[in-house]
Amino acid sequence: MPLAQVRIPIPGRHLPTKRPPRLSDALDIWGLSTAPANVAMQMARPEVGRGVLESPVESGALMVHPWKRLRTTASYLAVAILGSDDEKAAMRAAVNVAHRQVRSGPGAKVKYNAFDRDAQLWVAACLYVGFEDAYQLLNGKMSPEQAEAFYQSGAPLGTTLQVRPEMWPETRADFDTYWAEACRRVSIDEEVRAYVDDLLHLRMIHWYLRFLLGGLLRFLTAGYLPPYMRAQMGIAWSAADQRRFEHLFLFVRFVNRFLPKFIRDVGRPQMGYVRWRIRKNHALV
């Protein structure tokens, strides 16, 4: 499948940096805006979509407990990117408790198991794409050398769970090959499409937050989705929408230059929160 159909276009050029960029540089507060689109991308794989829809783990359901799900996902990402080996092991054990309950029953139209390494690799790849897109929208398109350096820090997104290191594509070019092929397995049924529509319209949060943020987040979610996935989900997107999306990030990129790092950085505060929960022996998920 052509990459232009499964990745979003990135305007601008990344400036030279004192050190190569890495995944931790993408832990910016604006990166949180990729979350609904990333969930939609993950669910576009049938076994992931059905696993989310049919999961018996009510405490982790996005549409029931959106803020808890945001916290636990942010905690997982912080640990995967910034955590020590012991912290990753603690997070893996906590996630595994929930994942043990997520498997298809007899007669299910789609077979799934939350411990399926291939499905976990797909989810990790979606997370990586979200981080890379958000980072480049804020900083400009990376050179091949910058993109390779950034990519080489991405494997823990999957290996923090059951993805084996050798499963993660070795180079950034290998990842493009994997991603283009993996996207051929995207298939969205009506129930998953309805779930995505709920995400787009923020039906899991209070009405006043939808009123304040709904329009912007719907626009951002559609903009973060690659053209092929938008088409699969029945989401309209015009050339004028694309221009508005790129102009918005030109503005955000400009404003971000004047925000102190401690305001923009969400990874280290989240990592501190995870460490506090570990010290207090509180549940991580």
Side-chain angles (χ1 to χ4, degrees):
M1 184 171 294
L3 276 175
Q5 288 297 305
V6 293
R7 294 300 303 267
I8 64 172
I10 302 294
R13 182 176 62 87
H14 197 295
L15 297 175
T17 55
K18 293 180 180 178
R19 60 162 177 78
R22 49 184 180 244
L23 200 62
S24 57
D25 297 327
L27 291 170
D28 187 283
I29 192 168
W30 264 92
L32 296 175
S33 65
T34 67
N38 213 265
V39 171
M41 287 167 61
Q42 294 168 32
M43 291 184 65
R45 183 81 164 253
E47 57 269 40
V48 177
R50 298 310 305 183
V52 171
L53 287 176
E54 299 170 7
S55 170
V57 187
E58 188 268 352
S59 63
L62 174 60
M63 303 308 293
V64 181
H65 302 289
W67 304 117
K68 183 187 179 197
R69 181 60 183 269
L70 179 63
R71 171 181 67 79
T72 55
T73 301
S75 294
Y76 174 80
L77 295 174
V79 170
I81 296 169
L82 302 173
S84 67
D85 289 344
D86 287 345
E87 289 159 349
K88 288 176 183 176
M91 180 59 71
R92 181 183 301 115
V95 174
N96 285 350
V97 170
H99 278 185
R100 286 190 186 97
Q101 305 173 63
V102 183
R103 60 181 62 229
S104 55
K109 65 178 182 179
V110 175
K111 297 292 184 182
Y112 59 85
N113 183 331
F115 283 92
D116 180 347
R117 287 186 171 92
D118 288 334
Q120 287 193 12
L121 177 59
W122 165 257
V123 171
C126 290
L127 291 170
Y128 175 78
V129 166
F131 274 118
E132 187 182 83
D133 287 347
Y135 177 79
Q136 292 192 115
L137 285 167
L138 289 172
N139 296 280
K141 187 174 181 64
M142 290 184 281
S143 69
E145 295 76 19
Q146 289 170 327
E148 187 65 38
F150 187 89
Y151 175 73
Q152 288 303 320
S153 59
L157 293 174
T159 58
T160 299
L161 291 180
Q162 276 74 43
V163 176
R164 295 189 297 267
E166 63 270 20
M167 294 176 67
W168 189 252
E170 186 174 356
T171 68
R172 182 64 184 73
D174 292 333
F175 181 83
D176 278 346
T177 301
Y178 163 79
W179 182 253
E181 186 60 32
C183 285
R184 293 182 184 275
R185 296 180 62 183
V186 165
S187 178
I188 302 170
D189 63 27
E190 288 304 317
E191 289 176 278
V192 171
R193 192 172 289 111
Y195 188 101
V196 170
D197 189 66
D198 286 343
L199 276 178
L200 280 169
H201 291 88
L202 301 178
R203 294 190 178 105
M204 66 287 198
I205 64 176
H206 293 298
W207 69 266
Y208 51 85
L209 290 175
R210 290 201 299 271
F211 177 77
L212 290 172
L213 303 173
L216 175 60
L217 285 181
R218 280 196 300 276
F219 178 71
L220 287 170
T221 300
Y224 282 125
L225 289 171
Y228 179 70
M229 293 195 187
R230 279 192 218 114
Q232 291 286 308
M233 296 175 191
I235 298 171
W237 188 256
S238 66
D241 289 327
Q242 183 62 36
R243 286 193 298 272
R244 288 171 55 214
F245 185 75
E246 293 177 2
H247 291 161
L248 171 62
F249 274 94
L250 283 174
F251 172 74
V252 172
R253 189 186 308 177
F254 175 77
V255 171
N256 246 26
R257 295 176 184 173
F258 301 99
L259 292 178
K261 186 172 176 58
F262 75 89
I263 292 178
R264 293 184 288 111
D265 185 1
V266 296
R268 285 165 183 80
Q270 189 66 31
M271 193 66 237
Y273 175 68
V274 171
R275 287 169 177 153
W276 175 80
R277 293 188 73 87
I278 291 173
R279 286 197 306 273
K280 296 295 185 179
N281 202 30
H282 292 334
L284 293 181
V285 300

